[in-house]
Amino acid sequence: MRRKRPGFPAPKACHVLAAVVACSLIGTADARETHRLGTPRLNEDQLGESLSRFRSLHKKASCIRRPNESSDERSLKRDWLKWVDCSLEEGVTFEGLELLAEVYPTRPFGVFASFNRKRLVELTYTLSITSIDALLPSLDKLYGEAFHRTYDRKGLLDSARWSDREASLEVELVPISPAVADRDFLRLGVGSPGSAVRVRIRLNALTTSGP
């Protein structure tokens, strides 16, 4: 009887093996994208926390209600606090790094938070640094290596992003337009341009672009 020579699996077996390998690779990519993000936080603030907790943590925060387009008194009451935005320009740091507004008072960019139905859905820190590298070690330790990074023409890190189905964390270098704060007004085009680092956490399912 003629014995079969050992060799590659039959074509059908090859197809099954290829499918298993492909699924493994896809699973690895998905696992990387959703790696340990959970519910991200910046300092003591965590997505989903209440407006009252935020205000208790940040006594100097200024909060305003966004106007809504409710057509009757009932809907107006229902949507009265549908969207609330809070800002803070001093008194906090992130990983020991100061807010841009605290170092350069003429550039009023600090902490900005958005609340939907009195729950935190987006939080941003704008920091007075010009490189993301100072933040990466601590963020990588908390959430694992960022699954998406971009670089500028000089090969310097321009942004890093962690994300899963529910939330995302982004760190990016942002240009700061020339501006000078004059009492209650912001005069654009005055001063010299610069850059800062913005750290932002947000829920993916909600948009904060409007009421």
Side-chain angles (χ1 to χ4, degrees), residues 4-14 17:
K4 293 183 179 179
R5 295 178 60 187
F8 294 102
K12 184 176 181 180
C14 285
L17 180 61

Side-chain angles (χ1 to χ4, degrees), residues 3-92:
R3 299 178 60 185
K4 293 183 179 179
R5 295 178 60 187
F8 294 102
K12 184 176 181 180
C14 285
H15 293 161
V16 173
L17 180 61
V20 170
V21 172
C23 290
S24 299
L25 292 175
I26 294 172
T28 301
D30 289 343
R32 185 183 180 190
E33 182 171 341
T34 59
H35 180 62
R36 291 194 305 142
L37 183 59
T39 306
R41 65 170 56 242
L42 296 181
N43 287 338
E44 297 179 304
D45 294 298
Q46 189 171 36
L47 290 177
E49 75 178 34
S50 67
L51 175 60
S52 59
R53 172 175 165 77
F54 181 87
R55 300 195 71 169
S56 70
L57 291 172
H58 306 287
K59 305 289 188 183
K60 296 182 179 180
S62 174
C63 298
I64 59 172
R65 181 188 67 86
R66 291 190 204 174
N68 55 55
E69 299 179 356
S70 301
S71 56
D72 55 75
E73 185 177 353
R74 183 177 179 181
S75 359
L76 182 63
K77 290 180 178 179
R78 182 195 62 204
D79 297 334
W80 183 253
L81 293 178
K82 182 177 181 180
W83 287 103
V84 174
D85 296 317
C86 298
S87 60
L88 181 67
E89 297 176 7
E90 60 181 9
V92 295

